[in-house]
Amino acid sequence: MQNARDTFYVTLRDRLAAVNPARTIVLRGVIRPGVLVEENELASATVPVNAFCLHWTGLSVDAQGALPLATMTCEISYATDGDSGNGGMDRGRLLSAMDAELVAAVSAAPQSVTKRNYVGAAGGSGLAPVAMGTNVFWGDAAFGAAVVNTERLERVATVEVFCYQEAGEL
């Protein structure tokens, strides 16, 4: 299932970067697209704003078919404090812009991609990810209510991600 998670993350990251190349974050001194996976980063007391943070929260496996079908729930949280030049009074507009970016990235056709194994490609090794024999596919995002947290406006969207588990895959 890790291969499916990595594949979904990389696909979403690349699509979001194409929708809004200006949405970036600085993480450990490196500028990168404004998307991260919570479990892959160092623990931090601060929640990044104006970025999308993926968190895997649910998993079920249906072993009835030729290959087990895994269904995973990905929570995508994001927040904005608004633009300081506007005194934060544009929080709603900026959150709506992030909503639109997420819809464009998740709902863009196709809503599937060839599953890839990124193990050899990690850490800047120069190796390309290896294409696997099945696809990762997902549904549309379901958006939770916007929540006011002091000066911050936050939202969590969920996406159901599906994949078939291939022989020997963890």
Side-chain angles (χ1 to χ4, degrees), residues 67-94:
L67 292 173
L69 175 65
T71 302
M72 299 171 283
T73 303
C74 180
E75 285 187 354
I76 304 167
S77 59
Y78 49 103
T80 183
D81 293 337
D83 184 2
S84 60
N86 293 323
M89 300 290 287
D90 56 354
R91 295 178 303 165
R93 290 183 186 279
L94 295 179

Side-chain angles (χ1 to χ4, degrees), residues 5 26-27 39-40 44 46 49-50 52 78 102 118 131 146 151 161:
R5 290 176 180 180
V26 177
L27 202 56
E39 66 191 43
N40 295 344
S44 173
T46 61
V49 293
N50 301 314
F52 298 94
Y78 49 103
L102 189 57
Y118 288 87
E151 298 297 320
V161 179

Side-chain angles (χ1 to χ4, degrees), residues 54-73:
L54 281 63
H55 180 75
W56 295 96
T57 60
L59 168 67
S60 65
V61 178
D62 180 356
Q64 299 301 314
L67 292 173
L69 175 65
T71 302
M72 299 171 283
T73 303

Side-chain angles (χ1 to χ4, degrees), residues 38-161:
E38 184 179 53
E39 66 191 43
N40 295 344
E41 303 299 339
L42 296 173
S44 173
T46 61
V47 177
V49 293
N50 301 314
F52 298 94
C53 184
L54 281 63
H55 180 75
W56 295 96
T57 60
L59 168 67
S60 65
V61 178
D62 180 356
Q64 299 301 314
L67 292 173
L69 175 65
T71 302
M72 299 171 283
T73 303
C74 180
E75 285 187 354
I76 304 167
S77 59
Y78 49 103
T80 183
D81 293 337
D83 184 2
S84 60
N86 293 323
M89 300 290 287
D90 56 354
R91 295 178 303 165
R93 290 183 186 279
L94 295 179
L95 192 71
S96 292
M98 293 182 79
D99 294 341
E101 291 170 23
L102 189 57
V103 166
V106 171
S107 300
Q111 283 182 280
S112 66
V113 65
T114 301
K115 187 176 3 172
R116 298 188 181 280
N117 182 334
Y118 288 87
V119 170
S125 67
L127 298 174
V130 177
M132 300 181 75
T134 59
N135 288 340
V136 176
F137 46 103
W138 56 89
D140 291 331
F143 292 86
V147 175
V148 177
N149 184 358
T150 61
E151 298 297 320
R152 184 166 291 166
L153 196 55
E154 304 172 341
R155 186 180 319 273
V156 175
T158 57
V159 177
E160 296 297 317
V161 179

